[in-house]
Amino acid sequence: MRIIFCGVGAIGSQAAVLCRNLEASLVFIDFDRVESKNLLAQAYVKPSVGKNKAEALKLQFLNLHGVKTESFGVRITRDNVEALCGGADLLVDCFDNQDSRVLLSEFARRAGKPLLHGAVSADGTFGLVRWDERFTPDAEETIGQATCEGGAHLPLLGLLAATLARSVQDFAKQGSRRDALVNLSSVVPTSGT
Amino acid sequence: MATLNITYDGMSADVPVELERPVTDDDVRRIATELVRSGGVPGMHLTGLSNEAFRYFVVDRFRGARGEERIYLRPKVPFGAR
């Protein structure tokens, strides 16, 4: 099984770490580089600073036992989405912007690929895990809305990443597709099969 | 009887609501505002809650395992910053 994590920042890097037990190839795609401030909320360590995030995460997985990984340090665009994601058995959307989520969703629907989205609200108090067949991206409240950077929202991010990883694991093992609403007081399954 | 789940400022709670007719998303936002102000939502009694508090919130509607109506009022995701 080939599982592609699209975006390995705060959500994607932590969810990928929690999927390391799966008998699967884990593929990381991200054009961004690790900054010092990322070390607070993302699964990176000091030697990763300055490296491409996808490459850095692949390097860190080499410290684990028997995990197969690949990395692509590029931005997903309309021109390369087929080449990058066409071989996926499962796509996991951990992007931080709506345009990329929509691009990936359009590709997945066109190509018939299973796609799972994970996202948090701008204030970092709420998260959503939702399969693409029930996914409609919310419109921005304001253009260029601030993100929840730094470590202030780490408990919620951790809970969301764990819920996302659980949904990936359930899909890999049973083919189930469960959604959830996530906040600091509960993880609420909302629908799915 | 429907269940309204409200997530606000990191808190979340279920509250049963009697709905005599189909309600719009704006109705849900108004009902939630009044419920939170009045203390009708467990753990979420905010008397000074602004009329605009839920302005940008999303209303999700689901059916529970026994066909019961569940309405979720939640913050928007994903964020749209680039």
Side-chain angles (χ1 to χ4, degrees), chain B residues 19-55:
Chain B
L19 302 174
E20 295 169 357
R21 58 179 173 78
V23 291
T24 66
D25 291 358
D26 278 340
D27 291 334
V28 171
R29 294 185 187 98
R30 277 193 293 273
I31 292 167
T33 303
E34 291 306 322
L35 283 170
V36 172
R37 281 180 182 156
S38 68
V41 184
M44 213 184 291
H45 188 190
L46 306 171
T47 53
L49 189 73
S50 156
N51 284 337
E52 300 293 295
F54 296 121
R55 179 179 172 191

Side-chain angles (χ1 to χ4, degrees), chain A residues 96-97 99 101 119-122 125-126 128 130 138-141 145 147-148 181 183 185 188 190-191, chain B residues 5 7-13 56-58 60 62-63 70 72 74-82:
Chain A
D96 66 353
N97 69 86
D99 291 347
R101 290 184 191 280
V120 293
S121 61
T125 64
F126 174 79
L128 197 64
R130 189 164 286 180
D138 302 334
E140 290 182 26
E141 294 171 18
Q145 194 171 356
T147 60
C148 46
L181 304 174
N183 59 58
S185 56
V188 183
T190 50
S191 58
Chain B
N5 177 277
T7 296
Y8 179 74
D9 197 22
M11 300 172 285
S12 183
Y56 294 114
F57 277 42
V58 175
D60 279 333
F62 301 101
R63 288 284 167 189
R70 294 190 64 87
Y72 290 85
R74 61 167 179 83
K76 284 186 175 184
V77 297
F79 45 64
R82 288 165 179 80

Side-chain angles (χ1 to χ4, degrees), chain A residues 55-69:
Chain A
E55 305 279 347
L57 196 57
K58 181 184 173 183
L59 278 173
Q60 288 181 199
F61 270 67
L62 291 176
N63 293 312
L64 307 175
H65 175 71
V67 189
K68 289 177 284 186
T69 60

